[in-house]
């Protein structure tokens, strides 16, 4: 994994009931107008699930970092994001002998969970977030993409407004660091989630000449 990755970021936002959202709405507000971000709300764009495959592939090709932002539903991703993946990540384009359109790009998952973090510690009766997102990581690997640890916000159901704003500020820090090329994804590789040690992962940007 390359330690420092920078570039233009495409945020694929997938929330089927945004009007009921608590945390995702705050997170989205923090980053959607960032100068290095294209914010793409999938449920707003495709309420009928009729996805414009060519347009989505053009968007992906035009960006260096792809973010999947979504709540965790039944230990997985929302249904429209799964349908989007099934249609857009085509053989011969995203993977396969001639499918290298996504090779070298970074895929970052940004997720919220209703349950607290101690519900995702792994073991006999539970799974970690990294384990639950193994299909996404495997897909990224097949497509030649870099997949760092996810940015995860736990405990959304009972979260205070102050804590939401703190997580939103951390999310913005990550987007800023990506745009400046000063977040060390290689150092983060062994972490369960990206946002547990941002002070150690984000370096000061080099001085401009």
């Amino acid at each position: 994994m390359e330690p420092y990755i920078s570039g233009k970021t495409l945020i694929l936002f997938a929330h089927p009931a945004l009007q009921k959202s608590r945390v995702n709405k705050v997170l989205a507000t923090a980053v959607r107008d960032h100068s290095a971000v294209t914010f793409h709300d999938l449920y707003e764009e495709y309420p009928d699930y009729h996805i414009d495959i060519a347009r989505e592939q053009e968007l992906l090709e035009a960006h260096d970092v792809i973010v999947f932002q979504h709540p965790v539903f039944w230990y997985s991703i929302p249904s429209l994001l799964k349908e989007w993946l099934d249609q857009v990540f085509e053989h011969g384009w995203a993977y396969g002998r001639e499918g290298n359109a996504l090779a070298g790009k970074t895929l970052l998952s940004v997720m919220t969970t209703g349950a607290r973090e101690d519900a995702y510690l792994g073991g006999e009766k539970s799974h970690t977030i990294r384990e639950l997102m193994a299909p996404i990581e495997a897909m990224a690997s097949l497509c030649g993409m870099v997949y760092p640890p996810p940015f995860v916000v736990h405990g959304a159901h009972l979260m205070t407004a102050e804590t939401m704003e703190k997580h939103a500020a951390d999310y913005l820090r990550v987007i800023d660091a990506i745009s400046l090329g000063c977040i060390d994804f290689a150092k983060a590789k062994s972490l369960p989630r990206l946002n547990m040690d941002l002070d150690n992962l984000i370096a000061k940007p080099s001085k401009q000449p």
Side-chain angles (χ1 to χ4, degrees):
M1 182 183 293
E2 291 293 327
Y4 295 100
I5 297 167
S6 63
K8 193 173 181 183
T9 298
L10 173 64
I11 297 178
L12 295 162
F13 181 73
H15 198 304
L18 187 56
Q19 71 278 7
K20 297 180 181 179
S21 169
R22 300 183 73 243
V23 179
N24 266 286
K25 188 182 295 183
V26 175
L27 294 176
T29 299
V31 300
R32 67 183 307 152
D33 295 324
H34 193 285
S35 60
V37 163
T38 300
F39 191 87
H40 191 33
D41 187 333
L42 293 181
Y43 277 93
E44 182 178 85
E45 189 71 26
Y46 302 115
D48 56 3
Y49 281 54
H50 291 164
I51 296 166
D52 186 338
I53 297 172
R55 177 176 181 243
E56 297 303 306
Q57 290 178 348
E58 287 177 4
L59 275 173
L60 290 165
E61 289 174 353
H63 293 80
D64 306 293
V65 180
I66 315 302
V67 174
F68 289 172
Q69 182 186 338
H70 60 87
V72 173
F73 282 174
W74 277 115
Y75 309 109
S76 188
I77 61 178
S79 60
L80 179 55
L81 182 54
K82 178 60 168 64
E83 180 70 11
W84 181 92
L85 281 168
D86 289 346
Q87 293 194 37
V88 176
F89 279 37
E90 293 180 311
H91 181 270
W93 181 81
Y95 68 100
R97 183 174 298 176
E98 299 180 1
N100 57 8
L102 301 173
K105 296 181 186 293
T106 299
L107 175 61
L108 173 65
S109 292
V110 175
M111 299 174 288
T112 62
T113 70
R116 298 179 308 181
E117 189 165 13
D118 57 12
Y120 297 93
L121 296 179
E124 191 173 312
K125 294 186 178 180
S126 67
H127 295 276
T128 67
I129 286 291
R130 295 292 296 271
E131 289 171 340
L132 294 172
M133 290 298 114
I136 302 298
E137 186 166 5
M139 176 207 67
S141 177
L142 180 65
C143 296
M145 304 178 79
V146 176
Y147 188 76
F151 182 107
V152 189
V153 177
H154 290 290
H157 291 330
L158 299 176
M159 191 172 292
T160 65
E162 182 180 6
T163 303
M164 289 183 210
E165 292 297 337
K166 180 186 181 302
H167 286 300
D170 284 344
Y171 187 18
L172 182 58
R173 283 184 72 194
V174 169
I175 296 300
D176 277 336
I178 289 172
S179 70
L180 296 170
C182 59
I183 183 166
D184 193 336
F185 282 130
K187 188 184 290 186
K189 190 174 181 180
S190 62
L191 296 177
R193 56 183 174 86
L194 189 67
N195 50 321
M196 70 182 302
D197 194 16
L198 292 181
D199 287 340
N200 188 40
L201 299 179
I202 297 176
K204 292 182 180 179
S206 59
K207 293 181 179 180
Q208 298 297 318

